[in-house]
Structure formats: structure tokens, C-alpha cells
Amino acid sequence: MNTDPIADYLTRVRNAAQAKHKLVEIPSSNMKKEMTKILFDKGYILNYKFEDDNGPQGTIKIALKYDGKTKECAFRSLKKVSKPGLRKYTGKDDLPRVLNGLGIAIMSTSKGLMTEKEAKLHNVGGEVICYVY
């Protein structure tokens, strides 16, 4: 049993990128699916596929994105902010800025999972899940 599935998700993606893998498979959940969609929309991953196997959970297959010349991954860091032992919440007026606006913060709000920029547009705060840059 995994106590922090989001940290496991980020670690699997981070490890696959560091090992220069093209594809990574992760056990699926609704929150992980939404995080994958955000990473794809912001250009941090190349593609993704949700597979609902015969099992109870299904998997997410993520194709990682690399630079053509330097072979560097599209993101430098995936950092978990809110942990099960210490949740990090922020109000609508104190939304985080990652690398002075170059990165994104993925947040769980009352209107669903979104980046800090989208949260500012919707005028909501919430739990800061992770930073990506």
C-alpha cells in the first residue's frame, strides 16, 4: 500500500526522465489523470494514454519530452509541496510564483486541479500539490 500516491507519481516520472526513458507507466487515479493532462497542456510531456485494464485501477502511459540537441528533459524539477503530514494551503491572494513565472504550481482547488495562473483567473485558492519547472 502506498501512503502518498502523488509523490509516487512524481518520483516515477522524475526517475524515468533522469534515466532517459521514453515511456513511463503509472497506476491510475482521477487526480493523477488530471495532473497528466495539465503537464501535457503546459508542454512538459510529449503525450499520454489512459488504459483501463481488466484490473480495478488501470494505468497511465506517459511519453516524456526531450530536447532534440541536448537530450535534456522538458522539465528540470518536479517538487512535491504538500505532504500527507504537512498540507500546504494558500489563499487566492497569496498564490505561489514558480521561478518568477517560468514554472507552474499545480493546485487542488474547489473547482478542480489547475495551475496557479488558472486559479488566479478563477479567483480561488487551495492546496499546493507540486511545483514543475
Side-chain angles (χ1 to χ4, degrees), residues 41-53:
D41 290 341
K42 299 302 173 188
Y44 290 107
I45 59 175
L46 190 63
N47 211 341
Y48 63 91
K49 185 176 180 184
F50 302 137
E51 290 189 351
D52 294 325
D53 300 346

Side-chain angles (χ1 to χ4, degrees), residues 1 3 5 9 13 20 23 32 34-36 44-45 47 65 70-71 73-76 85 89 99 106 114 120 126 129:
M1 189 174 114
T3 57
Y9 170 89
V13 173
K20 305 283 190 233
L23 193 71
K32 292 177 193 176
E34 291 302 314
M35 286 180 67
T36 305
Y44 290 107
I45 59 175
N47 211 341
K65 187 177 187 180
T70 61
K71 305 284 192 242
C73 193
F75 56 86
R76 290 190 184 239
Y89 295 96
L99 276 185
I106 297 177
M114 61 182 71
K120 188 172 196 129
I129 304 296

Side-chain angles (χ1 to χ4, degrees), residues 36-113:
T36 305
K37 288 177 187 174
I38 290 172
L39 290 175
F40 177 73
D41 290 341
K42 299 302 173 188
Y44 290 107
I45 59 175
L46 190 63
N47 211 341
Y48 63 91
K49 185 176 180 184
F50 302 137
E51 290 189 351
D52 294 325
D53 300 346
N54 295 336
Q57 203 168 15
T59 57
I60 303 171
K61 290 188 177 183
I62 299 175
L64 297 175
K65 187 177 187 180
Y66 295 98
D67 185 33
K69 296 176 186 170
T70 61
K71 305 284 192 242
E72 288 292 317
C73 193
F75 56 86
R76 290 190 184 239
S77 176
L78 290 171
K79 184 179 176 194
K80 180 91 163 100
V81 177
S82 189
K83 297 176 172 64
L86 182 62
R87 302 285 184 189
K88 297 283 185 183
Y89 295 96
T90 182
K92 62 181 182 177
D93 299 325
D94 302 321
L95 295 173
R97 281 177 55 106
V98 181
L99 276 185
N100 222 7
L102 295 177
I104 62 169
I106 297 177
M107 299 181 60
S108 176
T109 68
S110 57
K111 297 188 189 232
L113 228 57

